Amino acid sequence: MQAIDIKSVTKRYQQLQALDGVTLAIEEGEFFALLGPNGAGKTTLISTLAGLTRADSGTLAVMGHDVLTDYRAARSALGIVPQEIVFDPFFSVRETLQFQAGYFGITRSQQLDSWIDELLANLSLTDKADKNMRQLSGGMKRRVLVAQALVHRPPVIVLDEPTAGVDVELRQTLWAFVRSLNAKGHTILLTTHYLEEAQQLCSRIAMMKAGKIIALDTTEHLLNAFSERILKVKINGTLPAAMALQRIKQEGVGDNIWHHFAIHEYADVERTLAALRENQVTITKMEVTEPDLEEVFLKVMHK
């Protein structure tokens, strides 16, 4: 079954075409990234999926449940961590999670309390459980948002910029927990401006621009199609003319010049180094850079 099924969805706000025929299918158990610049339509698409915004045309379904005609089941199957930090200032962390569970018809029970304790422990919130939400830092509040999205145990989890403006510790804690959820079969849809997160975590990536999906493939295929490995070397002296013709670029000035050579396979590294040795070139420093999602993103956005 497809965890998320979006077909030909459009949405216009006056003169702005926020979504322009978006079609996207995400399989159960995927860790999927939805990337794009500000204003690309990512949050609008998530809002239509959550039922906060109604599409002008097209259909959206979560775990086979249409978000309009079968909205109760669709909402129950979905947990969303929003960009904005929104909280009720009158409740403690534990009370906030208990009320959130109640919205999904989950009554107070030992099973619910055990699950809340597990969420608090996994998100390093146990010592904050009885603190009022107003007493928490911004990073702690964001952890509570994650717990709120998960308290009803949804099979599909949407993380909309979950690590924006938070510290390294939270990022590591959050991703360790989310990875464990994905390993247990939960489907994860991530939007983020930290492209290294998407590259490390997600098996497939879609890129949006001006309300359209303009790239959709596995992370590996996107990296191989739009980026490449680079051998970077610093040398003593001047690069011979024959080698300069093979170089794709150089950067730096004076004694701090890096020469870049394209590497299509790892065997190319030894071939390039052998050619440098044959030309009596002494290497003082060397790096091999792997394909980079940020480079892919920029190329796709400027196609």
Side-chain angles (χ1 to χ4, degrees):
M1 179 190 295
Q2 289 170 343
I4 295 175
D5 190 15
I6 300 169
K7 294 179 179 176
S8 304
V9 170
T10 65
K11 179 65 181 179
R12 175 179 285 275
Y13 296 103
Q14 297 179 352
Q15 302 304 312
L16 174 65
Q17 188 70 49
L19 299 174
D20 191 2
V22 174
T23 294
L24 181 63
I26 301 173
E27 300 296 326
E28 272 191 272
E30 276 199 274
F31 205 136
F32 190 96
L34 180 64
L35 307 179
N38 292 331
K42 305 184 301 296
T43 299
T44 300
L45 186 61
I46 290 171
S47 295
T48 59
L49 192 66
L52 300 174
T53 300
R54 179 168 291 198
D56 297 333
S57 63
T59 61
L60 304 97
V62 181
M63 298 300 292
H65 304 291
D66 188 278
V67 300
L68 292 179
T69 61
D70 195 10
Y71 62 89
R72 288 186 185 276
R75 304 290 192 281
S76 294
L78 190 65
I80 294 183
V81 181
Q83 286 187 44
E84 298 80 11
I85 296 178
V86 181
F87 66 94
D88 194 318
F90 299 103
F91 299 116
S92 69
V93 172
R94 187 180 298 278
E95 289 169 338
T96 296
L97 298 181
Q98 290 168 345
F99 275 104
Q100 182 72 17
Y103 296 145
F104 291 91
I106 303 172
T107 57
R108 182 77 180 274
S109 66
Q110 185 176 353
Q111 184 179 19
L112 174 61
D113 288 342
S114 295
W115 175 234
I116 288 175
D117 287 340
E118 185 177 340
L119 288 174
L120 295 174
N122 278 289
L123 292 167
S124 301
L125 286 167
T126 300
D127 61 338
K128 307 293 183 184
D130 298 316
K131 297 284 187 182
N132 187 283
M133 289 292 294
R134 286 175 295 184
Q135 297 176 273
L136 302 187
S137 66
M140 290 293 178
K141 290 188 181 83
R142 192 166 289 281
R143 295 184 199 200
V144 177
L145 292 183
V146 175
Q148 281 185 274
L150 300 175
V151 75
H152 64 291
R153 299 178 186 265
V156 182
I157 303 163
V158 177
L159 305 172
D160 192 5
E161 301 287 350
T163 56
V166 299
D167 59 41
V168 173
E169 181 183 4
L170 171 57
R171 292 174 70 179
Q172 292 178 343
T173 301
L174 175 62
W175 292 134
F177 186 36
V178 171
R179 276 193 177 107
S180 72
L181 291 171
N182 183 239
K184 293 175 183 176
H186 289 265
T187 304
I188 313 294
L189 172 59
L190 168 69
T191 77
T192 181
H193 287 298
Y194 297 111
L195 299 187
E196 71 276 9
E197 292 181 344
Q199 183 171 343
Q200 293 169 8
L201 295 165
C202 301
S203 57
R204 277 205 307 151
I205 294 172
M207 296 186 184
M208 288 188 72
K209 180 181 179 182
K212 295 181 179 181
I213 302 287
I214 59 172
L216 173 60
D217 209 332
T218 65
T219 306
E220 183 179 1
H221 286 169
L222 283 171
L223 289 170
N224 290 337
F226 290 94
S227 188
E228 59 189 350
R229 293 179 182 88
I230 302 294
L231 172 64
K232 299 166 59 177
V233 296
K234 281 185 179 180
I235 64 172
N236 277 332
T238 304
L239 194 69
M243 294 298 296
L245 292 174
Q246 300 175 33
R247 181 184 61 195
I248 57 173
K249 75 170 184 178
Q250 73 174 45
E251 62 180 4
V253 293
D255 296 329
N256 191 37
I257 293 178
W258 285 94
H259 303 277
H260 294 226
F261 298 89
I263 301 300
H264 303 292
E265 57 184 7
Y266 287 114
D268 290 340
V269 174
E270 176 52 33
R271 285 192 283 267
T272 303
L273 294 179
L276 290 169
R277 286 194 298 271
E278 289 171 5
N279 284 277
Q280 286 79 49
V281 174
T282 301
I283 297 172
T284 60
K285 198 167 183 180
M286 179 181 76
E287 294 179 6
V288 176
T289 62
E290 291 294 318
D292 178 60
L293 189 59
E294 182 173 334
E295 179 186 350
V296 174
F297 181 82
L298 292 173
K299 286 182 178 178
V300 170
M301 289 300 128
H302 292 95
K303 278 178 64 178

